[in-house]
Coordinates of all heavy atoms in Angstrom, one line a residue:
M1 N 100.0 104.8 76.9 CA 100.2 104.6 78.3 C 98.9 104.5 79.1 O 98.1 105.4 79.1 CB 101.1 105.7 78.9 CG 101.4 105.7 80.3 SD 102.6 104.5 80.8 CE 104.1 105.3 80.2
Q2 N 98.7 103.3 79.7 CA 97.5 103.2 80.6 C 97.7 103.8 81.9 O 98.9 103.7 82.5 CB 97.1 101.8 80.6 CG 98.1 100.8 81.1 CD 97.7 99.4 81.0 OE1 96.6 99.0 81.0 NE2 98.7 98.5 80.9
T3 N 96.7 104.4 82.5 CA 96.9 105.1 83.8 C 95.8 104.6 84.7 O 94.7 104.2 84.3 CB 96.8 106.6 83.6 OG1 95.6 107.0 83.1 CG2 97.9 107.1 82.7
A4 N 96.1 104.8 86.0 CA 95.1 104.4 87.1 C 95.4 105.3 88.3 O 96.5 105.7 88.4 CB 95.1 103.0 87.4
T5 N 94.4 105.5 89.1 CA 94.6 106.3 90.3 C 94.1 105.5 91.5 O 93.1 104.8 91.5 CB 93.8 107.6 90.3 OG1 94.3 108.4 89.2 CG2 94.0 108.4 91.6
V6 N 94.9 105.5 92.6 CA 94.6 104.8 93.8 C 94.6 105.8 94.9 O 95.6 106.6 95.1 CB 95.5 103.7 94.1 CG1 95.3 103.1 95.5 CG2 95.5 102.6 93.1
I7 N 93.5 105.9 95.7 CA 93.5 106.8 96.9 C 93.9 106.0 98.1 O 93.4 104.9 98.3 CB 92.1 107.4 97.1 CG1 91.8 108.3 95.9 CG2 92.0 108.2 98.4 CD1 90.4 108.8 95.8
I8 N 94.8 106.5 98.8 CA 95.3 105.8 100.1 C 94.5 106.5 101.2 O 94.7 107.7 101.6 CB 96.8 106.0 100.3 CG1 97.6 105.5 99.1 CG2 97.2 105.3 101.6 CD1 99.1 105.7 99.1
K9 N 93.6 105.7 101.8 CA 92.8 106.2 102.9 C 92.3 105.0 103.7 O 91.3 104.4 103.2 CB 91.7 107.1 102.4 CG 90.9 107.9 103.4 CD 89.9 108.9 102.8 CE 89.3 109.7 103.9 NZ 88.3 110.7 103.3
G10 N 92.9 104.7 104.8 CA 92.5 103.5 105.5 C 92.7 102.2 104.7 O 92.1 101.2 105.0
G11 N 93.5 102.3 103.7 CA 93.7 101.1 102.8 C 93.8 101.7 101.4 O 94.2 102.9 101.3
Y12 N 93.5 100.9 100.4 CA 93.7 101.4 99.0 C 92.3 101.3 98.3 O 91.6 100.3 98.4 CB 94.7 100.5 98.3 CG 96.0 100.5 99.0 CD1 96.5 99.4 99.7 CD2 96.8 101.6 98.9 CE1 97.8 99.4 100.3 CE2 98.1 101.7 99.6 CZ 98.5 100.6 100.2 OH 99.7 100.6 100.9
Q13 N 92.0 102.4 97.7 CA 90.7 102.5 97.0 C 91.0 102.9 95.5 O 91.5 104.0 95.3 CB 89.9 103.6 97.7 CG 89.7 103.4 99.2 CD 89.0 104.6 99.8 OE1 88.4 105.4 99.2 NE2 89.0 104.6 101.2
P14 N 90.6 102.1 94.6 CA 90.1 100.7 94.8 C 91.1 99.8 95.2 O 92.3 100.0 95.0 CB 89.5 100.4 93.4 CG 90.4 101.1 92.4 CD 90.8 102.4 93.1
A15 N 90.7 98.7 95.8 CA 91.7 97.7 96.3 C 92.2 96.8 95.2 O 93.3 96.2 95.4 CB 91.0 96.8 97.4
E16 N 91.6 96.9 94.0 CA 92.0 96.1 92.9 C 91.9 96.9 91.6 O 90.9 97.5 91.3 CB 91.1 94.8 92.8 CG 91.4 93.9 91.8 CD 90.6 92.6 91.9 OE1 90.4 92.1 93.0 OE2 90.1 92.2 90.8
L17 N 93.0 96.9 90.9 CA 93.1 97.5 89.6 C 93.2 96.5 88.5 O 93.7 95.4 88.7 CB 94.3 98.5 89.5 CG 94.4 99.6 90.4 CD1 95.8 100.3 90.2 CD2 93.3 100.6 90.2
H18 N 92.6 96.8 87.4 CA 92.7 95.9 86.2 C 93.4 96.6 85.1 O 93.0 97.7 84.7 CB 91.3 95.4 85.7 CG 90.7 94.5 86.7 ND1 90.6 93.1 86.5 CD2 90.2 94.7 87.9 CE1 90.0 92.5 87.5 NE2 89.8 93.5 88.4
L19 N 94.6 96.1 84.7 CA 95.4 96.7 83.6 C 95.6 95.7 82.5 O 95.5 94.5 82.7 CB 96.7 97.2 84.2 CG 96.6 98.3 85.3 CD1 98.0 98.6 85.8 CD2 96.0 99.5 84.7
Q20 N 96.0 96.2 81.4 CA 96.3 95.4 80.2 C 97.8 94.9 80.3 O 98.7 95.6 80.6 CB 96.2 96.2 78.9 CG 94.8 96.6 78.6 CD 94.4 96.0 77.3 OE1 94.6 96.6 76.3 NE2 93.8 94.9 77.3
A21 N 97.9 93.6 80.2 CA 99.2 93.0 80.2 C 100.1 93.5 79.0 O 99.5 93.9 78.0 CB 99.1 91.4 80.2
Q22 N 101.4 93.4 79.2 CA 102.3 93.7 78.1 C 102.3 95.2 77.7 O 102.7 95.5 76.6 CB 102.2 92.8 76.9 CG 101.9 91.3 77.2 CD 103.1 90.6 77.9 OE1 104.1 91.3 78.2 NE2 103.0 89.4 78.3
Q23 N 101.8 96.0 78.6 CA 101.8 97.5 78.3 C 102.3 98.2 79.5 O 102.0 97.8 80.6 CB 100.4 98.0 77.9 CG 99.9 97.5 76.6 CD 98.5 98.1 76.3 OE1 98.2 99.2 76.8 NE2 97.8 97.4 75.5
S24 N 103.0 99.3 79.3 CA 103.5 100.1 80.4 C 102.3 100.8 81.1 O 101.2 100.9 80.5 CB 104.4 101.3 79.9 OG 105.5 100.7 79.3
A25 N 102.4 101.1 82.3 CA 101.3 101.7 83.1 C 101.9 102.8 84.0 O 103.0 102.7 84.5 CB 100.6 100.6 83.9
Q26 N 101.0 103.7 84.3 CA 101.3 104.7 85.4 C 100.2 104.6 86.4 O 99.1 104.8 86.0 CB 101.5 106.1 84.8 CG 102.8 106.3 84.0 CD 103.0 107.7 83.6 OE1 102.0 108.4 83.3 NE2 104.2 108.2 83.5
I27 N 100.6 104.4 87.6 CA 99.6 104.5 88.7 C 99.9 105.7 89.6 O 101.1 105.8 90.1 CB 99.7 103.2 89.6 CG1 99.4 101.9 88.7 CG2 98.7 103.2 90.7 CD1 99.5 100.6 89.4
T28 N 98.9 106.5 89.8 CA 99.1 107.6 90.7 C 98.5 107.3 92.1 O 97.3 106.9 92.1 CB 98.4 108.9 90.1 OG1 99.0 109.2 88.9 CG2 98.5 110.1 91.1
F29 N 99.3 107.4 93.1 CA 98.8 107.2 94.5 C 98.6 108.6 95.1 O 99.5 109.4 95.2 CB 99.9 106.4 95.3 CG 100.0 105.0 94.8 CD1 101.0 104.6 93.9 CD2 99.1 104.0 95.3 CE1 101.1 103.3 93.5 CE2 99.2 102.7 94.9 CZ 100.2 102.3 94.0
Q30 N 97.3 108.8 95.6 CA 97.0 110.0 96.2 C 96.9 109.8 97.7 O 96.1 109.0 98.2 CB 95.6 110.5 95.6 CG 95.0 111.7 96.3 CD 95.7 113.0 95.8 OE1 96.1 113.1 94.6 NE2 96.0 113.9 96.7
Q31 N 97.7 110.5 98.5 CA 97.8 110.2 99.9 C 96.8 111.0 100.7 O 96.8 112.3 100.7 CB 99.2 110.5 100.4 CG 99.4 110.2 101.9 CD 99.3 108.8 102.2 OE1 98.2 108.3 102.5 NE2 100.4 108.0 102.0
E32 N 95.8 110.3 101.3 CA 94.8 111.0 102.1 C 94.8 110.4 103.5 O 93.8 110.6 104.3 CB 93.4 110.9 101.4 CG 93.4 111.7 100.1 CD 92.0 111.7 99.5 OE1 91.0 111.4 100.1 OE2 91.9 112.2 98.3
D33 N 95.8 109.7 103.9 CA 95.8 109.0 105.2 C 97.0 109.6 106.0 O 98.1 109.7 105.4 CB 96.0 107.5 105.0 CG 95.5 106.8 106.3 OD1 96.3 106.9 107.3 OD2 94.5 106.1 106.2
S34 N 96.8 109.9 107.2 CA 97.9 110.5 108.0 C 98.8 109.5 108.8 O 99.7 109.9 109.4 CB 97.3 111.5 109.0 OG 96.4 110.8 109.9
S35 N 98.4 108.2 108.7 CA 99.2 107.2 109.5 C 100.5 106.9 108.8 O 100.7 106.9 107.6 CB 98.4 105.9 109.6 OG 98.4 105.2 108.3
S36 N 101.5 106.8 109.7 CA 102.9 106.5 109.1 C 102.9 105.1 108.4 O 103.6 104.9 107.5 CB 103.9 106.5 110.2 OG 103.7 105.5 111.2
C37 N 102.0 104.2 108.9 CA 101.9 102.9 108.3 C 101.7 103.0 106.8 O 102.3 102.3 106.0 CB 100.7 102.2 109.0 SG 100.3 100.6 108.3
L38 N 100.8 103.8 106.4 CA 100.4 103.9 105.0 C 101.2 104.9 104.2 O 101.0 105.1 103.0 CB 98.9 104.2 104.8 CG 98.0 103.0 105.1 CD1 96.6 103.5 105.4 CD2 98.0 102.1 103.9
S39 N 102.2 105.5 104.8 CA 102.9 106.6 104.1 C 103.9 106.0 103.1 O 104.3 106.7 102.2 CB 103.7 107.4 105.1 OG 104.7 106.7 105.8
T40 N 104.2 104.8 103.2 CA 105.0 104.1 102.2 C 104.2 103.1 101.4 O 103.4 102.4 102.0 CB 106.2 103.3 102.8 OG1 107.1 104.2 103.5 CG2 107.0 102.5 101.8
V41 N 104.3 103.1 100.1 CA 103.7 102.1 99.3 C 104.8 101.5 98.4 O 105.6 102.1 97.8 CB 102.5 102.7 98.4 CG1 103.0 103.8 97.4 CG2 101.8 101.6 97.6
Q42 N 104.7 100.1 98.4 CA 105.8 99.4 97.8 C 105.4 98.1 97.2 O 104.4 97.5 97.6 CB 107.0 99.2 98.8 CG 106.6 98.6 100.1 CD 106.6 97.1 100.1 OE1 107.2 96.5 99.2 NE2 105.8 96.5 101.0
S43 N 106.1 97.7 96.1 CA 105.9 96.4 95.5 C 107.2 95.9 94.9 O 107.8 96.5 94.0 CB 104.8 96.6 94.4 OG 104.7 95.3 93.7
T44 N 107.6 94.8 95.4 CA 108.8 94.2 94.9 C 108.5 93.7 93.5 O 109.3 93.8 92.5 CB 109.2 93.0 95.7 OG1 109.4 93.5 97.1 CG2 110.5 92.4 95.2
A45 N 107.3 93.1 93.3 CA 106.9 92.5 92.0 C 106.8 93.5 90.9 O 107.2 93.3 89.8 CB 105.6 91.8 92.2
L46 N 106.3 94.7 91.3 CA 106.1 95.8 90.2 C 107.2 96.8 90.2 O 107.2 97.7 89.4 CB 104.7 96.4 90.5 CG 103.5 95.5 90.3 CD1 102.2 96.3 90.7 CD2 103.4 95.0 88.9
G47 N 108.1 96.7 91.2 CA 109.3 97.5 91.1 C 109.2 99.0 91.6 O 109.7 99.8 90.9
F48 N 108.4 99.2 92.6 CA 108.4 100.6 93.1 C 108.4 100.6 94.7 O 108.0 99.6 95.3 CB 107.3 101.4 92.6 CG 105.9 100.9 92.9 CD1 105.3 101.2 94.1 CD2 105.2 100.1 92.0 CE1 104.0 100.8 94.4 CE2 103.9 99.6 92.3 CZ 103.3 100.0 93.5
N49 N 108.9 101.7 95.2 CA 108.9 101.9 96.7 C 108.9 103.4 96.9 O 109.9 104.0 96.7 CB 110.1 101.2 97.3 CG 110.1 101.2 98.8 OD1 109.6 102.1 99.4 ND2 110.8 100.2 99.4
E50 N 107.8 103.9 97.3 CA 107.7 105.4 97.4 C 107.1 105.8 98.8 O 106.3 105.1 99.4 CB 106.7 105.9 96.4 CG 107.1 105.6 94.9 CD 108.2 106.5 94.5 OE1 108.5 107.5 95.1 OE2 108.8 106.2 93.4
K51 N 107.6 106.9 99.3 CA 107.1 107.5 100.5 C 106.3 108.7 100.0 O 106.7 109.5 99.2 CB 108.3 108.0 101.4 CG 107.8 108.2 102.8 CD 109.0 108.1 103.8 CE 108.6 108.4 105.2 NZ 107.7 107.4 105.7
I52 N 105.0 108.7 100.5 CA 104.1 109.8 100.0 C 103.5 110.5 101.1 O 102.7 110.0 101.9 CB 103.0 109.1 99.1 CG1 103.6 108.2 98.1 CG2 102.1 110.2 98.4 CD1 102.6 107.4 97.3
P53 N 103.9 111.8 101.3 CA 103.4 112.6 102.4 C 101.9 112.9 102.3 O 101.4 112.9 101.2 CB 104.2 113.9 102.4 CG 105.4 113.5 101.6 CD 105.0 112.5 100.6
L54 N 101.2 113.1 103.4 CA 99.8 113.4 103.4 C 99.6 114.6 102.5 O 100.3 115.6 102.6 CB 99.4 113.7 104.8 CG 97.9 114.1 105.0 CD1 97.0 113.0 104.6 CD2 97.7 114.5 106.5
G55 N 98.5 114.5 101.7 CA 98.1 115.6 100.9 C 98.8 115.7 99.6 O 98.6 116.7 98.8
T56 N 99.7 114.8 99.3 CA 100.4 114.8 98.0 C 100.1 113.5 97.2 O 99.5 112.6 97.7 CB 102.0 114.9 98.2 OG1 102.5 113.7 98.8 CG2 102.3 116.1 99.1
H57 N 100.6 113.5 96.0 CA 100.5 112.3 95.2 C 101.8 112.0 94.6 O 102.7 112.8 94.4 CB 99.4 112.4 94.2 CG 99.6 113.4 93.2 ND1 99.3 114.7 93.3 CD2 100.2 113.3 91.9 CE1 99.6 115.4 92.2 NE2 100.2 114.6 91.4
K58 N 101.9 110.7 94.2 CA 103.1 110.3 93.4 C 102.7 109.3 92.3 O 101.8 108.5 92.5 CB 104.1 109.6 94.4 CG 105.5 110.1 94.2 CD 106.4 109.8 95.3 CE 107.1 111.0 95.9 NZ 108.0 110.7 97.0
T59 N 103.3 109.5 91.2 CA 103.0 108.6 90.1 C 104.2 107.7 89.8 O 105.3 108.1 89.7 CB 102.7 109.4 88.8 OG1 101.6 110.3 89.0 CG2 102.3 108.5 87.6
V60 N 103.9 106.4 89.8 CA 104.9 105.4 89.5 C 104.7 104.8 88.1 O 103.6 104.6 87.7 CB 105.0 104.2 90.5 CG1 105.3 104.8 91.9 CG2 103.6 103.5 90.6
T61 N 105.8 104.7 87.4 CA 105.7 104.1 86.1 C 106.1 102.6 86.2 O 107.2 102.3 86.7 CB 106.6 104.8 85.1 OG1 106.2 106.2 85.0 CG2 106.5 104.2 83.7
I62 N 105.3 101.7 85.6 CA 105.5 100.3 85.7 C 105.8 99.7 84.4 O 105.0 100.0 83.4 CB 104.3 99.6 86.4 CG1 104.1 100.2 87.8 CG2 104.5 98.1 86.5 CD1 102.8 99.8 88.5
A63 N 106.8 99.0 84.3 CA 107.2 98.3 83.0 C 106.1 97.3 82.6 O 105.3 96.8 83.5 CB 108.5 97.6 83.2
P64 N 106.0 96.9 81.3 CA 105.0 95.9 80.9 C 105.1 94.6 81.7 O 106.3 94.2 82.0 CB 105.4 95.7 79.4 CG 106.0 97.0 79.0 CD 106.8 97.5 80.2
Q65 N 104.0 94.1 82.1 CA 104.0 92.8 82.9 C 103.3 91.7 82.1 O 102.3 92.0 81.4 CB 103.3 93.1 84.2 CG 103.9 94.2 85.0 CD 105.2 93.9 85.6 OE1 105.5 92.7 85.9 NE2 106.1 94.9 85.7
A66 N 103.6 90.5 82.5 CA 102.9 89.3 82.0 C 101.5 89.3 82.7 O 101.4 89.8 83.8 CB 103.7 88.1 82.3
P67 N 100.5 88.6 82.1 CA 99.2 88.5 82.8 C 99.4 87.8 84.2 O 100.3 86.9 84.3 CB 98.5 87.5 81.8 CG 99.1 87.7 80.5 CD 100.5 88.0 80.8
G68 N 98.6 88.3 85.1 CA 98.7 87.7 86.5 C 98.3 88.7 87.5 O 97.9 89.8 87.2
V69 N 98.4 88.3 88.7 CA 98.0 89.2 89.9 C 99.2 89.6 90.6 O 100.1 88.7 91.0 CB 97.0 88.4 90.8 CG1 96.6 89.3 92.0 CG2 95.8 88.0 90.0
Y70 N 99.4 90.9 90.8 CA 100.6 91.5 91.4 C 100.1 92.3 92.7 O 99.1 93.0 92.6 CB 101.3 92.4 90.5 CG 101.8 91.7 89.2 CD1 101.0 91.4 88.2 CD2 103.2 91.3 89.1 CE1 101.4 90.7 87.0 CE2 103.6 90.6 88.0 CZ 102.7 90.3 87.0 OH 103.2 89.7 85.8
N71 N 100.8 92.1 93.7 CA 100.4 92.8 95.0 C 101.3 94.0 95.2 O 102.5 94.0 94.9 CB 100.5 91.9 96.2 CG 99.5 90.8 96.1 OD1 98.3 91.0 95.7 ND2 99.9 89.6 96.3
Y72 N 100.8 95.0 95.9 CA 101.6 96.1 96.5 C 101.1 96.2 97.9 O 100.0 95.7 98.3 CB 101.5 97.4 95.7 CG 100.1 98.0 95.6 CD1 99.6 98.9 96.5 CD2 99.3 97.7 94.5 CE1 98.4 99.4 96.4 CE2 98.0 98.2 94.4 CZ 97.6 99.1 95.4 OH 96.3 99.6 95.3
A73 N 101.8 96.9 98.7 CA 101.5 97.0 100.2 C 102.1 98.2 100.8 O 102.9 98.9 100.2 CB 102.0 95.8 100.9
C74 N 101.7 98.5 102.0 CA 102.3 99.5 102.8 C 103.7 99.0 103.2 O 104.1 97.9 103.0 CB 101.5 99.9 104.0 SG 101.4 98.5 105.3
G75 N 104.4 99.9 103.9 CA 105.8 99.6 104.3 C 106.0 98.3 105.1 O 107.0 97.6 105.1
M76 N 104.9 98.1 105.9 CA 105.0 96.9 106.8 C 104.1 95.7 106.3 O 103.9 94.8 107.1 CB 104.6 97.3 108.2 CG 105.5 98.3 108.8 SD 104.7 99.5 109.9 CE 103.8 100.5 108.7
N77 N 103.6 95.8 105.1 CA 102.9 94.7 104.5 C 101.5 94.5 105.3 O 101.0 93.4 105.2 CB 103.7 93.5 104.5 CG 103.7 92.8 103.2 OD1 103.5 93.5 102.2 ND2 103.8 91.5 103.2
M78 N 101.0 95.5 105.9 CA 99.7 95.3 106.7 C 98.5 95.5 105.8 O 97.5 94.9 105.9 CB 99.7 96.2 107.9 CG 100.7 95.9 108.9 SD 101.3 97.4 109.8 CE 99.8 98.0 110.5
F79 N 98.6 96.5 104.9 CA 97.6 96.8 104.0 C 98.1 96.4 102.6 O 99.2 96.7 102.2 CB 97.2 98.3 104.0 CG 96.6 98.8 105.2 CD1 97.3 99.3 106.3 CD2 95.2 98.7 105.4 CE1 96.7 99.8 107.4 CE2 94.6 99.1 106.6 CZ 95.4 99.6 107.6
Q80 N 97.2 95.8 101.8 CA 97.6 95.3 100.5 C 96.6 95.7 99.5 O 95.4 95.8 99.7 CB 97.8 93.8 100.5 CG 98.9 93.4 101.5 CD 99.1 91.9 101.6 OE1 98.2 91.2 101.2 NE2 100.3 91.5 102.0
G81 N 97.1 96.0 98.3 CA 96.3 96.2 97.1 C 96.8 95.3 96.0 O 97.9 94.7 96.1
K82 N 95.9 95.1 95.0 CA 96.4 94.2 93.9 C 96.1 94.8 92.6 O 95.2 95.6 92.4 CB 95.8 92.8 94.1 CG 94.3 92.7 93.9 CD 93.9 91.3 93.7 CE 93.8 90.6 95.1 NZ 93.0 89.4 95.0
V83 N 97.0 94.4 91.6 CA 96.9 94.8 90.3 C 96.7 93.5 89.5 O 97.6 92.7 89.5 CB 98.1 95.6 89.8 CG1 97.9 96.1 88.3 CG2 98.4 96.8 90.7
V84 N 95.6 93.5 88.7 CA 95.4 92.3 87.9 C 95.7 92.7 86.5 O 95.1 93.5 85.9 CB 93.9 91.8 88.0 CG1 93.7 90.6 87.1 CG2 93.5 91.5 89.5
Y85 N 96.7 92.0 85.9 CA 97.0 92.2 84.5 C 96.4 91.1 83.7 O 96.5 90.0 84.0 CB 98.6 92.1 84.3 CG 99.3 93.4 84.6 CD1 99.7 93.7 85.9 CD2 99.5 94.4 83.6 CE1 100.4 94.9 86.2 CE2 100.2 95.6 83.9 CZ 100.6 95.8 85.2 OH 101.3 97.0 85.5
E86 N 95.6 91.6 82.7 CA 94.9 90.6 81.9 C 95.0 90.9 80.4 O 95.5 91.9 80.0 CB 93.4 90.5 82.3 CG 92.8 91.9 82.6 CD 91.5 91.8 83.3 OE1 91.2 90.8 84.0 OE2 90.8 92.8 83.3
Ligands
CU101 CU1 101.7 99.4 107.4

């Protein structure tokens, strides 16, 4: 299982993750931003939608993906991060 961590603080850090295609992955989102805007992180393409309170973290498990670039975003699609499967 490949893993990655993203810190939510004024956006997503790092803004771009690189993962291996055709393998499951777990991404842990660590919430360090108090804005309601960033309290939700979601991706239709990757199949998750989570509300993460300040000071907590949540790990999402993502099914194997084909090579490509997949986006995730805050609840209103204002902040975006990407996952590059290669
Ligand atoms: Cu937003």
Side-chain angles (χ1 to χ4, degrees):
M1 177 75 74
Q2 54 189 333
T3 61
T5 299
V6 173
I7 294 170
I8 305 174
K9 190 173 186 181
Y12 301 109
Q13 305 170 15
E16 184 173 314
L17 297 177
H18 289 255
L19 296 176
Q20 293 241 274
Q22 317 297 0
Q23 289 183 25
S24 299
Q26 285 185 328
I27 302 176
T28 297
F29 290 95
Q30 177 75 41
Q31 184 64 269
E32 296 185 10
D33 199 292
S34 59
S35 71
S36 63
C37 174
L38 282 160
S39 64
T40 296
V41 60
Q42 50 86 22
S43 173
T44 305
L46 296 174
F48 63 85
N49 187 331
E50 298 287 346
K51 198 159 177 65
I52 310 175
L54 178 62
T56 69
H57 65 271
K58 226 163 236 182
T59 300
V60 298
T61 300
I62 300 169
Q65 302 291 328
V69 179
Y70 299 79
N71 293 316
Y72 61 88
C74 69
M76 292 145 290
N77 228 29
M78 293 151 57
F79 291 95
Q80 295 179 340
K82 67 169 75 159
V83 184
V84 180
Y85 277 89
E86 42 195 19

